[in-house]
Amino acid sequence: MFDSINAGIYVSDIENYKILYANKFIKDIYGREPIGELCYKVLHNKDYPCIFCTNQIIKETKDKPYIWEHYNTFVNKYFEITNKIIRWRDGRDVRFEYMCEMSKYKQVQTELLMEKEAIKSLEAKLKKTNEKLQILSQSTITALSELLEQKDSYTASHQTNVANLSCAIAKEMKLPEEQIKGIKVAALLHDIGKIAIPLDILNKPRNLTDNEFNLIKEHVQNGFEVIKTLDFSWPIAKIILQHHERMNGSGYPNGLRNNEILIEAKILAVADTIDAMSSHRPYRPARGLGEAMAEVLKHSNVLYDSEVVKACLSVLMKENKKNKVITQKNFQYASNHSEINKINKNIVCYNI
């Protein structure tokens, strides 16, 4: 039975290390009959007993099998060896060893380790590549912003203001940090399409005609076309395209409704409205932050997402509590608006 097993089985004397029995596997692998030879010379290719052959190890393991790995330099193969003390036919205690060749397993294990190291190396390279891409993305954003600022300084500063407010709204809504990063990038570039609009229309000191306003509306499509070829981790081009869409479908360019609009675009829509209304333009004076707040409150859940409006109002109230950015006079538009309690009952607790 032992001769039919594809593994080595042998018995050796505990005291003098001589092999008392070896099955066919042992004889074949070492090419000779090893009975009577010292086990450590035959099996370990050594001139002295290894630590795993010593009586001390055998005694410490007591009745439990002792398992260890061994690379035999004589045959250049790996083995897993199980030692166990058994009673020999003459009544003495002997060492019974079961040798299972594991060279193929070791080869696979080595290959797996090499693959693991290769994966680690690739991950490190990917990390460096991502870092470079982030730097490149930031450089692209900066370059585009500076290019727009050279043409229209208002639009450039407006984009920065919208980015700051959009990120604050997103944090108030407890959106994931990675999503907030995308919102910031989209906000910093949301009006980049205005670079294709004639400056005399952008800075016209009176109300725009219908044709001029239609030309202005093309900036979202223009921006989409500029940004769609850039490799961002977020849907920046799509957010830019949608930031003038409205909840009831009255926005442009595609008349999207409700859940058809990305949450990032909904946030930009509110932040964009707030900053645009509270900033001075050549064709009209600034309407003030209070009136801007009243505007988004009035159209909450009609033009603007109600959760975004609620978060925006909370952000502005908290900011006002710290820095008094809203005066009593220009706050009257918002504070007198009946919708304020429907949006957030706690907001009125702030000391305006």
Side-chain angles (χ1 to χ4, degrees):
M1 182 182 70
F2 284 169
D3 283 342
S4 66
I5 295 175
N6 189 31
I9 294 176
Y10 70 95
V11 178
S12 61
D13 191 294
I14 292 177
E15 300 301 329
N16 60 27
Y17 301 103
K18 287 185 178 181
I19 296 175
L20 304 174
Y21 168 81
N23 72 342
K24 186 176 182 296
F25 183 90
I26 295 289
K27 296 173 185 177
D28 290 344
I29 201 169
Y30 292 103
R32 66 183 187 274
E33 172 62 72
I35 293 178
E37 295 189 44
L38 297 172
C39 68
Y40 53 81
K41 279 186 174 290
V42 176
L43 304 171
H44 307 156
N45 195 27
K46 291 182 180 294
D47 294 327
Y48 51 88
C50 72
I51 189 172
F52 301 108
C53 293
T54 61
N55 294 341
Q56 185 63 33
I57 289 291
I58 299 299
K59 289 175 183 177
E60 286 178 1
T61 59
K62 296 181 179 179
D63 296 330
K64 298 178 180 179
Y66 186 77
I67 302 173
W68 52 289
E69 289 183 9
H70 169 66
Y71 177 72
N72 189 296
T73 56
F74 183 76
V75 294
N76 294 320
K77 292 181 183 295
Y78 282 97
F79 295 95
E80 181 182 80
I81 301 177
T82 302
N83 280 306
K84 181 77 168 63
I85 300 300
I86 65 170
R87 186 64 54 86
W88 193 234
R89 50 184 163 233
D90 59 7
R92 58 179 162 161
D93 288 341
V94 294
R95 181 189 296 108
F96 176 90
E97 291 196 8
Y98 177 86
M99 294 174 56
C100 179
E101 185 184 349
M102 54 188 305
S103 299
K104 290 183 178 179
Y105 166 76
K106 278 292 185 180
Q107 181 181 354
V108 171
Q109 187 181 53
T110 302
E111 290 173 354
L112 287 174
L113 287 173
M114 291 175 64
E115 288 181 6
K116 188 175 180 180
E117 290 301 316
I119 290 171
K120 283 184 179 179
S121 177
L122 286 173
E123 286 176 345
K125 290 180 180 178
L126 182 61
K127 183 179 179 181
K128 287 184 179 180
T129 301
N130 286 336
E131 290 173 352
K132 289 180 180 179
L133 285 173
Q134 287 182 2
I135 293 172
L136 180 61
S137 295
Q138 188 58 50
S139 299
T140 302
I141 294 167
T142 302
L144 289 171
S145 296
E146 289 178 352
L147 184 64
L148 184 58
E149 187 171 11
Q150 290 179 7
K151 179 173 183 177
D152 181 14
S153 59
Y154 162 76
T155 301
S157 60
H158 165 70
Q159 290 189 142
T160 301
N161 294 341
V162 171
N164 292 336
L165 181 54
S166 294
C167 289
I169 292 171
K171 289 177 182 177
E172 184 72 18
M173 295 176 70
K174 294 180 171 52
L175 296 186
E177 188 62 34
E178 190 62 27
Q179 193 172 11
I180 295 174
K181 290 179 182 178
I183 290 171
K184 181 177 182 180
V185 172
L188 287 171
L189 296 173
H190 76 278
D191 275 346
I192 194 65
K194 287 183 178 178
I195 202 165
I197 308 299
L199 188 60
D200 59 341
I201 293 179
L202 289 176
N203 292 323
K204 186 177 179 180
R206 56 185 181 278
N207 291 335
L208 300 173
T209 65
D210 289 342
N211 288 336
E212 289 170 336
F213 183 61
N214 288 333
L215 187 61
I216 289 281
K217 290 199 296 185
E218 292 179 5
H219 78 279
V220 291
Q221 188 67 46
N222 295 338
F224 174 80
E225 297 298 331
V226 170
I227 301 302
K228 71 177 182 180
T229 57
L230 300 180
D231 188 17
F232 287 107
S233 302
W234 315 275
I236 304 300
K238 198 171 181 180
I239 297 169
I240 290 173
L241 184 67
Q242 293 183 5
H243 79 275
H244 275 289
E245 299 287 359
R246 296 296 181 254
M247 297 288 288
N248 63 358
S250 63
Y252 62 87
N254 297 312
L256 302 181
R257 292 174 173 269
N258 299 323
N259 293 332
E260 295 175 334
I261 308 169
L262 294 173
I263 185 61
E264 296 92 337
K266 292 176 180 178
I267 291 172
L268 257 64
V270 172
D272 187 30
T273 300
I274 291 291
D275 187 70
M277 288 188 64
S278 57
S279 301
H280 176 78
R281 297 299 287 130
Y283 54 85
R284 61 154 176 80
R287 297 181 183 177
L289 192 53
E291 189 172 346
M293 291 166 63
E295 173 68 17
V296 295
L297 280 167
K298 178 181 178 182
H299 299 291
S300 175
N301 215 30
V302 178
L303 302 181
Y304 311 106
D305 184 276
S306 60
E307 290 301 312
V308 175
V309 172
K310 176 181 175 180
C312 177
L313 191 61
S314 180
V315 166
L316 293 175
M317 291 301 190
K318 288 175 182 177
E319 180 64 23
N320 184 67
K321 188 176 182 181
K322 290 189 296 184
N323 301 318
K324 301 296 181 183
V325 294
I326 310 172
T327 65
Q328 184 67 41
K329 181 179 180 180
N330 67 24
F331 182 69
Q332 63 181 337
Y333 295 100
S335 61
N336 292 335
H337 203 284
S338 61
E339 290 295 313
I340 193 166
N341 290 318
K342 295 180 182 179
I343 299 299
N344 189 341
K345 294 180 181 180
N346 297 324
I347 290 298
V348 295
C349 295
Y350 286 109
N351 181 25
I352 303 303

